[in-house]
């Protein structure tokens, strides 16, 4: 069957809103994973179609060529499949005008970073890249040093609290200042599982051509962006993004409710043998436990935007997680727990402890993660520990001893440790299924 390409477009029902060459490159994106292709790329293509401007994307794959090579073979075209119980709704995107491989062509990436025509750099490089000396940071700094002060917005789209502030700290520490640079904070939201052979088969059935770079996602998508761009930006607001002066309330709500519950389902579900998030949520007692986590533990720590109900938001989150078509693997969500849990779960626990409360459901989730780190599911099946601190976790007498992960005082909090020990004994004796039943 014919491969997706510029030549094949004329025969397709689903065509991109813009085509390669319609706009010059104004954005460089670091990280060519599924989330970028199903989120920022979609907003940007729609913004160009509705508002114009030279904002096409040059995307950079830091190391792996797994996505890069299929994209290059397809003239940088790919499809995004919005999937739910009602079916598959495909669209083809053409917003990428270039794609580079940092590991084999670093000079080309640095030249793009230094080009004053590039006025925005966006990043989806996961939480573990936001540390001094990371490969992505070194690459970014080399390009910034060659830039000569031309104005630029560096836009983190990773799930970190104050992601723009964090990026600014890293860059300023290395450059000694940030003249001409802005670091807007953002909140991103869309469930995007890793692509599988089922994804590619669904794309072929929907399009009538082969697409080896297809990505599947839920229909819902949200992007909240601090409006601080020294050299302009695409009309993302016309594409449905929220441009605001303060992202923090949106960010905290999403990190603690959506991402926190996502991680909770991942660890409890993986221990119970549920391979996907929707199956984890369907376990007897799980939905009630997640509702309790949102209502009694998370909600008291939040001050959302006026008109937003935390429980209503949480209910919608659970409905999104129940989408059986996504097949979002619990083990994928469980990756890099030491990098994710501080903002997704530990901040909630710390706030409740500061208020004199031991949060019941949040400590259950933390106990589940501690048990997950041991690497064995309830039925004895081995569980992989994919985490940058895996060696330290295995060597520690207790994960609570890792200062790089846990807030000060956690290891010495007698009430907290007692709650964790109680949940740990319950999980050891009864497994997740029995523990949830007792709830």
């Amino acid at each position: 069957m014919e491969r997706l390409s510029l030549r094949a477009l004329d025969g397709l029902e689903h065509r991109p809103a813009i085509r390669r060459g319609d706009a010059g490159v104004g954005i460089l994106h670091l990280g060519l994973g599924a989330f970028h292709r199903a989120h920022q790329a979609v907003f940007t293509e729609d913004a160009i179609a509705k508002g114009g401007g030279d904002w096409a994307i040059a995307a950079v794959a830091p190391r792996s060529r797994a996505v890069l090579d299929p994209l290059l073979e397809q003239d940088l075209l790919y499809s995004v499949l919005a999937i739910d119980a009602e079916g598959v709704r495909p669209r083809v995107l053409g917003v990428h005008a270039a794609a580079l491989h940092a590991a084999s062509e670093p000079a080309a990436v640095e030249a793009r970073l230094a080009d004053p025509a590039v006025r925005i750099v966006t990043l989806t490089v996961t939480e573990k890249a936001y540390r001094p000396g990371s490969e992505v940071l070194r690459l970014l700094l080399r390009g910034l040093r060659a830039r000569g002060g031309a104005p630029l917005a560096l836009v983190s789209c990773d799930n970190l609290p104050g992601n723009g502030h964090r990026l600014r700290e890293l860059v300023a520490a290395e450059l000694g200042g940030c003249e001409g640079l802005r670091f807007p904070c953002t909140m991103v939201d869309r469930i995007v599982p890793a692509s599988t052979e089922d994804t590619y088969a669904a794309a072929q059935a929907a399009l009538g051509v082969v697409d080896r770079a297809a990505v599947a996602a839920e229909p819902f998508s949200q992007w909240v962006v601090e409006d601080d761009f020294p050299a302009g930006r695409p009309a993302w607001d016309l594409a449905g993004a929220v441009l605001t002066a303060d992202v923090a309330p949106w960010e905290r709500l999403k990190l603690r409710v959506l991402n926190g519950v996502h991680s909770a389902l991942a660890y409890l579900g993986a221990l119970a043998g549920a391979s996907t998030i929707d199956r984890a949520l369907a376990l007897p007692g799980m939905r009630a436990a997640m509702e309790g986590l949102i209502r009694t533990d998370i909600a008291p720590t939040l001050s959302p935007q006026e008109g937003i109900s935390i429980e209503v938001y949480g209910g919608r989150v659970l409905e999104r997680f129940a989408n059986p078509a996504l097949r979002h693997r619990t083990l994928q969500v469980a990756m890099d727990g030491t990098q994710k849990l501080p903002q997704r779960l530990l901040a909630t626990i710390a706030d409740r402890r500061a208020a004199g409360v031991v949060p019941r459901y949040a400590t259950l989730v933390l106990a589940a993660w501690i048990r997950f780190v041991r690497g064995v599911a309830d039925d004895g099946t081995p569980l992989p520990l994919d985490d940058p601190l895996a060696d330290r976790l295995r060597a520690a007498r207790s994960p609570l001893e890792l200062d790089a992960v846990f807030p000060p005082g956690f290891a010495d909090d007698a009430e907290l440790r007692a709650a964790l020990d109680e949940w740990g004994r319950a999980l050891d004796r009864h497994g997740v299924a029995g523990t949830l039943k007792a709830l």
Side-chain angles (χ1 to χ4, degrees):
M1 183 175 286
E2 187 176 10
R3 190 77 173 264
L4 179 61
S5 66
L6 286 170
R7 186 179 65 182
L9 281 181
D10 289 340
L12 295 186
E13 176 185 355
H14 304 283
R15 303 179 189 180
I18 65 170
R19 294 200 186 190
R20 187 176 176 182
D22 286 356
V25 172
I27 299 173
L28 183 75
H29 182 79
L30 301 179
L32 195 49
F35 187 81
H36 160 68
R37 288 177 287 134
H39 190 270
Q40 299 93 35
V42 174
F43 277 98
T44 302
E45 176 157 310
D46 288 346
I48 295 171
K50 295 179 180 181
D54 293 334
W55 294 112
I57 301 170
V60 177
R63 295 199 64 83
S64 172
R65 301 189 67 101
V67 174
L68 177 67
D69 287 339
L71 275 176
L72 292 173
E73 292 164 7
Q74 296 176 183
D75 297 325
L76 302 179
L77 299 173
Y78 67 96
S79 59
V80 175
L81 313 177
I83 58 174
D84 57 20
E86 297 179 2
V88 176
R89 294 174 294 284
R91 64 174 292 180
V92 175
L93 272 81
V95 70
H96 292 90
L100 304 168
H101 185 230
S104 64
E105 45 187 345
V109 176
E110 291 170 29
R112 285 282 188 181
L113 281 165
D115 185 354
V118 170
R119 290 153 284 164
I120 296 174
V121 172
T122 53
L123 303 91
T124 50
V125 289
T126 76
E127 294 92 339
K128 58 190 172 186
Y130 291 81
R131 61 180 188 269
S134 73
E135 185 177 0
V136 170
L137 182 62
R138 292 199 306 269
L139 175 68
L140 179 61
L141 291 169
R142 288 196 297 269
L144 293 177
R145 289 188 177 102
R147 193 170 171 83
L152 181 71
L154 292 98
V155 186
S156 169
C157 300
D158 288 295
N159 282 317
L160 290 165
N163 50 17
H165 303 318
R166 176 61 177 153
L167 184 57
R168 179 197 295 273
E169 291 172 2
L170 289 168
V171 171
E174 295 291 336
L175 295 183
C178 295
E179 184 178 355
L181 304 178
R182 296 289 187 274
F183 299 83
C185 291
T186 68
M187 185 280 280
V188 297
D189 190 3
R190 192 174 199 183
I191 300 172
V192 186
S195 295
T196 65
E197 290 300 323
D198 288 341
T199 310
Y200 306 137
Q204 181 173 322
L207 298 174
V209 294
V210 174
D211 179 6
R212 297 298 297 180
V215 60
E218 66 170 333
F220 179 88
S221 186
Q222 186 179 40
W223 196 9
V224 183
V225 187
E226 183 183 358
D227 201 359
D228 186 14
F229 293 83
R233 59 165 174 80
W236 284 320
D237 48 329
L238 298 183
V242 176
L243 279 296
T244 180
D246 185 11
V247 172
W250 302 85
E251 170 193 84
R252 195 174 297 111
L253 176 67
K254 189 254 182 176
L255 282 170
R256 296 194 182 189
V257 178
L258 186 140
N259 295 121
V261 172
H262 215 194
S263 288
L265 290 169
Y267 296 117
L268 289 164
L271 289 172
S275 60
T276 59
I277 292 295
D278 63 291
R279 291 178 180 176
L281 183 58
L283 293 170
M286 184 69 85
R287 181 180 287 266
M290 296 301 99
E291 290 171 346
L293 173 63
I294 295 167
R295 181 180 62 255
T296 66
D297 293 350
I298 299 174
T301 73
L302 297 173
S303 300
Q305 298 280 46
E306 185 177 352
I308 294 179
S309 163
I310 296 171
E311 290 193 38
V312 171
Y313 176 85
R316 289 172 180 163
V317 163
L318 292 177
E319 290 307 311
R320 291 166 59 193
F321 287 160
N323 184 345
L326 286 176
R327 300 177 184 176
H328 205 175
R329 295 183 301 113
T330 50
L331 290 179
Q332 181 191 354
V333 180
M335 290 171 54
D336 301 335
T338 59
Q339 312 301 299
K340 296 174 178 177
L341 289 183
Q343 53 270 7
R344 296 185 177 200
L345 179 70
L346 303 185
T348 294
I349 295 175
D351 283 353
R352 296 303 284 146
R353 292 302 294 129
V357 177
V358 178
R360 184 184 189 201
Y361 299 95
T363 51
L364 167 61
V365 177
L366 182 53
W369 174 73
I370 292 172
R371 193 163 183 271
F372 177 88
V373 166
R374 285 162 35 190
V376 182
D378 291 344
D379 63 358
T381 302
L383 293 172
L385 181 58
D386 190 341
D387 193 288
L389 299 183
D391 291 341
R392 293 180 60 186
L393 284 169
R394 293 190 181 102
R397 289 178 301 174
S398 167
L400 294 180
E401 297 174 354
L402 295 184
D403 293 339
V405 179
F406 290 90
F410 261 52
D412 300 323
D413 187 330
E415 289 184 273
L416 178 62
R417 292 193 74 116
L420 289 172
D421 289 343
E422 182 179 353
W423 283 125
R425 288 191 297 270
L427 291 169
D428 285 342
R429 291 173 184 171
H430 310 297
V432 169
T435 302
L436 290 176
K437 183 178 179 180
L439 279 173

